């Protein structure tokens, strides 16, 4: 089994290069950016990456910028999956399952429900 190098020990430049490779892969293959692709380019397991994405993980010092860059990329990945599902996805169920499993979306938000308003709804 390969030992993963912790993200805290990587330079911000190296992490940003890995994120750029993940984004380039998604664009080249015309697929959404995913957390799995980010993990592959960062050379860490998905479970390991998810620990860094957890709000309870509070990195210190130089590691904070590295983890914040990864968290921002993961946010972009979630948006990418949602946009793909809304514009090109063949099955909304697949994307909903992905977002529930990997992006923290669920049946309950835990807060007060607010109405969802779609702009341009009349044109649909």
């Amino acid at each position: 089994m390969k030992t993963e190098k912790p993200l805290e020990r990587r330079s911000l430049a190296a992490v940003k290069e890995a994120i750029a490779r993940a984004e380039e892969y998604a664009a080249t293959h015309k697929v959404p950016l995913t957390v799995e692709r980010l993990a592959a380019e960062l050379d860490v397991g998905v479970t390991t990456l998810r620990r860094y994405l957890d709000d309870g993980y509070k990195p210190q010092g130089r590691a904070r910028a590295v983890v914040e860059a990864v968290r921002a990329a993961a946010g972009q990945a979630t948006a990418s999956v949602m946009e793909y599902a809304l514009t090109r996805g063949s099955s909304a169920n697949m994307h909903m399952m992905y977002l529930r499993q990997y992006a923290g979306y669920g049946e309950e938000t835990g807060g007060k429900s607010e109405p969802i308003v779609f702009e341009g709804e009349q044109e649909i």
Side-chain angles (χ1 to χ4, degrees):
M1 185 170 140
K2 185 173 132 184
T3 304
E4 298 174 349
K5 181 178 180 183
L7 290 180
E8 298 97 326
R9 294 186 184 165
R10 300 180 193 196
S11 71
L12 181 57
V15 168
K16 285 185 174 184
E17 286 173 13
I19 292 168
R21 286 192 307 271
E23 292 169 340
E24 182 180 339
Y25 178 93
T28 300
H29 292 86
K30 295 180 174 59
V31 295
L33 175 64
T34 63
V35 171
E36 292 79 8
R37 174 53 53 190
L38 287 170
E41 294 298 339
L42 289 164
D43 201 25
V44 298
V46 174
T47 302
T48 299
L49 183 60
R50 296 215 180 277
R51 282 197 298 267
Y52 289 108
L53 300 177
D54 187 279
D55 288 336
Y57 178 70
K58 306 288 185 205
Q60 301 297 317
R62 177 177 80 110
R64 185 174 181 174
V66 169
V67 173
E68 288 303 318
V70 171
R71 287 178 176 167
Q76 288 296 322
T78 299
S80 179
V81 170
M82 292 177 80
E83 290 165 359
Y84 189 88
L86 292 171
T87 60
R88 293 178 296 249
S90 60
S91 170
N93 291 335
M94 177 185 74
H95 302 290
M96 288 175 13
M97 289 175 61
Y98 176 89
L99 293 169
R100 284 182 183 153
Q101 181 70 28
Y102 298 115
Y105 288 80
E107 296 294 326
E108 297 179 19
T109 60
K112 182 181 168 188
S113 296
E114 296 291 331
I116 298 173
V117 179
F118 292 97
E119 296 294 323
E121 187 174 0
Q122 293 78 18
E123 288 82 27
I124 299 178

